[in-house]
Amino acid sequence: RFYCDYCDTYLTHDSPSVRKTHCSGRKHKENVKDYYQKWMEEQAQSLIDKTTAAFQQGKIPPTPFSAPPPAGAMIPPPPSIPGPPRPGMMPAPHMGGPPMMPMMGPPPPGM
């Protein structure tokens, strides 16, 4: 008899064809997915708990973003957000890519 840990069940026969049929089944695949998703969530929660404990013990310094900005301070938007050009900044190209240089001669092979 073969026991499937994911499905918490015994298969009637322990033969390669029965195992293959079981492992390709919808319920087995859902159980495997649920098992690993739960495991990943536990790992993430463990990392969050360890980081929180280290921060509370003072082992991790606060980041500059954790405190609110001083009164009257303006935080510029990231460069990916379209808007009016900021002083000292180049205006963003309309297509979202780097500015194109004028072509001199034929394009390189592969273009």
Side-chain angles (χ1 to χ4, degrees):
R1 293 176 71 173
F2 176 74
Y3 180 75
C4 178
D5 291 320
Y6 299 110
C7 300
D8 191 31
T9 188
Y10 286 97
L11 302 181
T12 55
H13 306 302
D14 186 13
S15 68
S17 63
V18 170
R19 284 190 192 190
K20 185 176 179 182
T21 302
H22 171 76
C23 291
S24 64
R26 178 186 55 83
K27 286 180 72 176
H28 174 78
K29 289 180 179 178
E30 286 178 6
N31 289 338
V32 171
K33 186 183 93 175
D34 291 344
Y35 174 84
Y36 284 105
Q37 187 164 357
K38 189 176 180 182
W39 182 81
M40 288 295 290
E41 289 170 0
E42 290 171 0
Q43 295 297 312
Q45 190 60 50
S46 172
L47 183 62
I48 291 168
D49 294 342
K50 288 178 184 176
T51 304
T52 302
F55 180 77
Q56 289 174 342
Q57 293 172 1
K59 294 180 181 176
I60 300 175
T63 65
F65 301 110
S66 62
M74 295 271 305
I75 299 175
S80 62
I81 297 177
R86 296 186 297 271
M89 299 295 244
M90 295 276 298
H94 294 290
M95 297 304 286
M100 296 297 289
M101 298 299 287
M103 287 250 197
M104 298 294 184
M111 290 215 39

